[in-house]
Structures are given as structure tokens and as C-alpha cells.
């Protein structure tokens, strides 16, 4: 028996290749580090869905479709307003995916063309949901989307209502590309399981959002920030002092056998291939905002975990503090992951449908032997 399906290969995929031996990740054959350095998130989304990077005309048409779908559905806004402001933003994301599915003009149609439109529409609509949900919790009103901004810049615009700074947009764009896809992770596999019954795309994405919420998966980026807050962020503190406090916190946590979120990975055992690229983006944000004490906390935790258990950071570790510096509320971090991963999830949904087989594993019974009532 392979509990947690650890190490079990259950199907083929052409969407991405995770190679722990070479510590590499390819999206449709392209190294993710190169995509993050040279491409927009729109180009990567197109690549995941279509298998090739778009030419100029294809990108123009694709970008126009995405920008046309950014406005928050008024009916959805009423439902979000009815959700408690102290509830979790991932519950708002999960609800939004469900509502947008029930209200979609092609609901009931699961043809490849309909699913591609549903995927682009959901991807385009999610930033408004995430941004409005954070703003309403601060008593702020909706910021309408701007068609002159790309996906990442518009996400920041709708969240903060200010012209986004290029350097911040670049770091956000890197995080969108790195979070987009990662083969059969728990949330993607959840989407494939739902799809394998021939259920619809929005039901599969709603299931995936539920899986991503957990702190062992996407919720880890939020949990990383809770760790920083528990240690205590003291602006202006010297890096070295922050590192000493962080090390002490980690040593205590490990002595208590705690799982420290942001570290470890089921597939990568020598470090997550995406961390170097995301850490470089974090370093730029630390320099941009002048918050070197965060680097002290980051380094202190990483060093102590490495010395104690030789466990390396995963993508969520640098991503969390990056979003914190940009001004996102901590519970908004995983919803940002949702907006990015909609591309990977829906690419897998379409791949599952193209060569489907119902996913239904076996179990070994260890309950009561048969007995009379
Ligand atoms: C994501 O799968 C994907 O691709 C996911 C993802 C994606 O892009 O979709 O990459 C995104 O979810 C990244 C992972 C985010 N999760 C976290 O940061 C949560 C903390 N990490 C751990 O819970 C753990 O590393 C898992 C769940 C991610 C993976 O765990 P495994 O492979 O099941 O390994 P394990 O839990 O059995 O741990 C093996 C050993 C254990 O020690 P022992 O009990 O054998 O002595 O390593 C220890 C664990 O205690 N360990 C940790 C640890 N991770 C592993 N100890 C402390 N803190 C940790 N974070």
C-alpha cells in the first residue's frame, strides 16, 4: 500500500515535468526559470493551455479575451458582500468559482471549446474576486479593472487602487508563473479526480481550491507569514539579530516536533526547483522596500532547518514574505496562488478529458470481520 500515493505514477501528462533528480521543472518543455525571466504570465497561460508559446497575433487575441473578462460579476459581488468579513478568503474563492460556474453562459457544455472559454473566463475573473475581497475587509470599495494593464499589473491595481510600480509588477509576474503548474500535486489531482467522473470544469476547480487551502499544500504560504509574525517582525532590526531570533524559534519548534510550513516537499527532496527564482524576486522586494530584517528572519529559519533536518524551503517560503511586502493581507496569499494555478488546473482538466479513465483506487479493509446484526 502507498499511503498518500507517495511515489505512485498514475497517469501520463504532457503539461509539465517535475524532475527531482535534476531539480528542474518544465512547462510544455520550457524550463520554468527561463519562462519567468523572459515571458509574461499571459504567454505562460497560453502555453499551458495550448502547448506552444503564442505568436504576436495569437497573444494579442488571447490578451484581449482575458482583459474583456476582468470585471467583477455584479451578482457575484452581492454574494461576496453577504459572506462574513472574518471568514477565510479561500472560502470566498471557492464560492466564487462555484457561482461563476453556475452562471456561465456555457454551463452544461463540456466540449473542448467550451472548456477553453470557461478556463480563460475563470482565470480573468479571479483577480477581481481576490482584490475586492481584501478591500471590503478594510472598508474599501471595488476598484474597476483597467484594460491598459497586463494581468499582474491589473491584479495589483485592483487590490491597492494605485498605479503599480514596475519592479513590483515584475516580482508578482514571476510568482504567477512559478505558481501556475506543478504536475499531479494534491489540488491538481483533485481536479483530475472530479473530471474523471465527467463532471464539469467549475466543479473540478472548486474541489481543487478546497484542496489548495490546506496548510500542507497552498495554505503554506499563509502559514509562513504566521511563523514570521510569531517570531516577531521588528522593522529596522539588524539582519543578524533577526536571524538569531529566528534560529531560536526554529530550534524550539523542531524540538516540539512541529511541522514548519514552507519547508519540505513530497517530490523534491533536495530543494524545490522554483525557490531560487522566487527568492531572487523576494530579494528585490526586500531591497525595494528596505526591509532587511525580513531577510534576517528568512535566513535564520532556513539555516536552522537545514542544520537540524537538512530540509529545504519550498516555493511557499519565499512567496509568503514577498506578498507581505507588496501589501497583501496574509489570508490573501493562497487566493493569489488560486488565480495563478487556475491555468495549471484547467490544463489538466482538459488533458484528463482528452484521454479519460475514471479515477477509483482500491483500499485494504481493516475493519470488523463480517458479523450478524
Ligand atoms: C506545495 O506537491 C506539489 O507539487 C505541491 C506544490 C505545488 O506547486 O502544487 O509544490 C505546492 O504544496 C508545496 C508544499 C507546501 N507545504 C508545506 O510547506 C507544509 C510543510 N511541509 C510538510 O508538511 C511536508 O514537507 C510535505 C507535506 C510537503 C511533504 O511531506 P512528505 O513527503 O509526506 O514527507 P513527510 O511529511 O513524511 O516528512 C518526512 C520527514 C518527517 O520526519 P520524521 O517524522 O520521519 O522524523 O521530514 C519531516 C517529517 O517530520 N518533515 C518536516 C517538514 N517536512 C517534512 N519536519 C518539519 N517541518 C517540515 N516542514
Amino acid at each position: 500500500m502507498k499511503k498518500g500515493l507517495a511515489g505512485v505514477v498514475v497517469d501520463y501528462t504532457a503539461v509539465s515535468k517535475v524532475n527531482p533528480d535534476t531539480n528542474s521543472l518544465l512547462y510544455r518543455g520550457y524550463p520554468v526559470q527561463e519562462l519567468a525571466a523572459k515571458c509574461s504570465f499571459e504567454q505562460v497561460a497560453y502555453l499551458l493551455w495550448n502547448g506552444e508559446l503564442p505568436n504576436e497575433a495569437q497573444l494579442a487575441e488571447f490578451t484581449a479575451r482575458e482583459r474583456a473578462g476582468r470585471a467583477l460579476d455584479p451578482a457575484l459581488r452581492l454574494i461576496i458582500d453577504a459572506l462574513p468579513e472574518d471568514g477565510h478568503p479561500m472560502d470566498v474563492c471557492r464560492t466564487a468559482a462555484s457561482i461563476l460556474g453556475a452562471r456561465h453562459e456555457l454551463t452544461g457544455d463540456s466540449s473542448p471549446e467550451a472548456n477553453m472559454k470557461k478556463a480563460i473566463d475563470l482565470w480573468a475573473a479571479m483577480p477581481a474576486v481576490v482584490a475586492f475581497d481584501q478591500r471590503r475587509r478594510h472598508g474599501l470599495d471595488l476598484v474597476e479593472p483597467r484594460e491598459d494593464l497586463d494581468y499582474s499589473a491589473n491584479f495589483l491595481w485592483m487590490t491597492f487602487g494605485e498605479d503599480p510600480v514596475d519592479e513590483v509588477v515584475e516580482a508578482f509576474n514571476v510568482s504567477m508563473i512559478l505558481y501556475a503548474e506543478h504536475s499531479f500535486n494534491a489540488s491538481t489531482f483533485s481536479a483530475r479526480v472530479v473530471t474523471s467522473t465527467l463532471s464539469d470544469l467549475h466543479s473540478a476547480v472548486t474541489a481543487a481550491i478546497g484542496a489548495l487551502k490546506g496548510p500542507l499544500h497552498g495554505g503554506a504560504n499563509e502559514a509562513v507569514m504566521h511563523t514570521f509574525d510569531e517570531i516577531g517582525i521588528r522593522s529596522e532590526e539588524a539582519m543578524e539579530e533577526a536571524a538569531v531570533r529566528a534560529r531560536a524559534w526554529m530550534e524550539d519548534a523542531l524540538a516540539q516536533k512541529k511541522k514548519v510550513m514552507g519547508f519540505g516537499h513530497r517530490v523534491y527532496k533536495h530543494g524545490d526547483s522554483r525557490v531560487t527564482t522566487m527568492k531572487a524576486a523576494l530579494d528585490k522586494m526586500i531591497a525595494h522596500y528596505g526591509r532587511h530584517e525580513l531577510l534576517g528572519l528568512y535566513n535564520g529559519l532556513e539555516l536552522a532547518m537545514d542544520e537540524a533536518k537538512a530540509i529545504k524551503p519550498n516555493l511557499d517560503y519565499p512567496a509568503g514574505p514577498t506578498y507581505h511586502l507588496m501589501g497583501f493581507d496574509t489570508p490573501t496569499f493562497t487566493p493569489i496562488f488560486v488565480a495563478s494555478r487556475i491555468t495549471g488546473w484547467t490544463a489538466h482538466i482538459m488533458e484528463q478529458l482528452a484521454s479519460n479513465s475514471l479515477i477509483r483506487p482500491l483500499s485494504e479493509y481493516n475493519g470488523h470481520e463480517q458479523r450478524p446484526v
Side-chain angles (χ1 to χ4, degrees), residues 24-27 30-37 177-178 273-274 277:
S24 64
L25 170 60
L26 306 177
Y27 289 175
Y30 292 103
V32 74
Q33 294 80 0
E34 287 186 44
L35 292 170
I177 290 172
L178 295 177
S273 67
R274 303 161 293 185
T277 306

Side-chain angles (χ1 to χ4, degrees), residues 182 216-217 259-260 262-263 265-266 269 274 314 341:
H182 211 243
L216 290 188
H217 189 12
K259 275 244 195 301
V260 179
F263 291 90
H265 198 279
R266 170 60 63 79
K269 292 305 178 191
R274 303 161 293 185
N314 56 54
R341 189 56 61 91

Side-chain angles (χ1 to χ4, degrees), residues 50-72:
N50 297 283
E52 298 295 339
L53 284 165
N55 61 34
E56 207 171 310
Q58 289 165 332
L59 183 61
E61 192 269 336
F62 180 72
T63 301
R65 281 179 72 179
E66 184 271 319
R67 295 186 186 204
R70 289 174 170 177
L72 183 61

Side-chain angles (χ1 to χ4, degrees), residues 45-98:
Y46 184 99
L47 169 69
L48 290 171
W49 282 324
N50 297 283
E52 298 295 339
L53 284 165
N55 61 34
E56 207 171 310
Q58 289 165 332
L59 183 61
E61 192 269 336
F62 180 72
T63 301
R65 281 179 72 179
E66 184 271 319
R67 295 186 186 204
R70 289 174 170 177
L72 183 61
D73 174 347
L76 175 56
R77 177 185 176 157
L78 291 175
I79 293 162
I80 292 173
D81 273 329
L83 297 177
E85 289 187 4
D86 59 357
H88 199 289
M90 280 297 276
D91 299 348
V92 174
C93 272
R94 191 189 63 226
T95 305
S98 214

Side-chain angles (χ1 to χ4, degrees), residues 6 18 178-179 181-188 212 214-221 224 250 254 257-269 272 274 305 309 311 314-317 337 341:
V18 179
L178 295 177
Y179 263 139
E181 157 63 13
H182 211 243
S183 80
F184 281 21
N185 58 83
S187 55
T188 298
L212 192 74
L216 290 188
H217 189 12
N221 59 15
V224 168
M250 180 62 89
L254 295 178
K257 301 286 183 202
K258 280 184 183 173
K259 275 244 195 301
V260 179
M261 305 308 163
F263 291 90
H265 198 279
R266 170 60 63 79
V267 178
Y268 294 118
K269 292 305 178 191
D272 184 325
R274 303 161 293 185
M305 175 63 96
K309 304 193 86 167
I311 293 172
N314 56 54
L315 175 57
D316 293 310
Y317 188 54
F337 193 160
R341 189 56 61 91

